[in-house]
Amino acid sequence: MQQNTRSSSVKIREAGLKDLAEMQRLERMCFDIEAFSKFQLRYLVTTPTGISLAAEIDGKFAGFIIGIINRNRYGTYGRIYTLDVDTGFRGKGTGTELTRALLERFKASGCEKCFLEVREDNDCAIALYHKLGFENKHIIPHYYAEGIHAIKMRKDL
């Protein structure tokens, strides 16, 4: 099912195993040594509580986002595992549209909050998440390669 989003040129659709090669290519492009492996991406795409969305611009695979719905004694919440946008499609609202679409799915599934981790030196991603209403909660020391800290972020849905 394809749906139009706020930006007329970005189309958001469900992502699946047919997209795995493109997803892996983008994951490596965006995250290099910290990229999820093909096996890990396959798991995230096929897990029953997962939501995987792809963005297309002019029929080309421009990016994707993967999140998981979790339930525990504190409630139901979503967690964003990865957001990847091809360098050729950045600055066109692709990351914003993917994240908004995932947050809408989380909310429709009963999630009360959404969490994610982002490298403390990823200024573009941090700005995007702040624009979408995420708040910094705390620092996770040495979360990424080379000892880079993560910022744990949260958004109330």
Side-chain angles (χ1 to χ4, degrees), residues 15-87:
L17 290 175
K18 68 185 182 325
D19 300 304
L20 202 54
E22 280 295 314
M23 293 167 91
Q24 186 178 24
R25 178 186 69 80
L26 279 186
E27 182 73 9
R28 275 196 235 117
M29 174 193 292
C30 295
F31 296 106
D32 193 31
I33 63 170
E34 296 167 341
F36 285 120
S37 69
K38 186 175 183 180
F39 175 80
Q40 291 168 316
L41 286 171
R42 178 183 298 274
Y43 170 78
L44 291 170
V45 168
T46 60
T47 192
T49 60
I51 300 171
S52 301
L53 302 173
E56 293 181 346
I57 297 177
D58 299 325
K60 295 184 176 98
F61 194 89
F64 72 96
I65 192 167
I66 300 175
I68 304 285
I69 297 169
N70 297 288
R71 290 174 178 83
N72 64 24
R73 64 184 176 175
Y74 301 111
T76 301
Y77 63 94
R79 179 164 179 249
I80 297 175
Y81 277 81
T82 191
L83 169 62
D84 302 60
V85 177
D86 191 299
T87 54

Side-chain angles (χ1 to χ4, degrees), residues 87-102:
T87 54
F89 294 103
R90 292 185 183 164
K92 301 177 185 297
T94 308
T96 299
E97 294 303 326
L98 281 165
T99 307
R100 282 184 178 147
L102 181 60

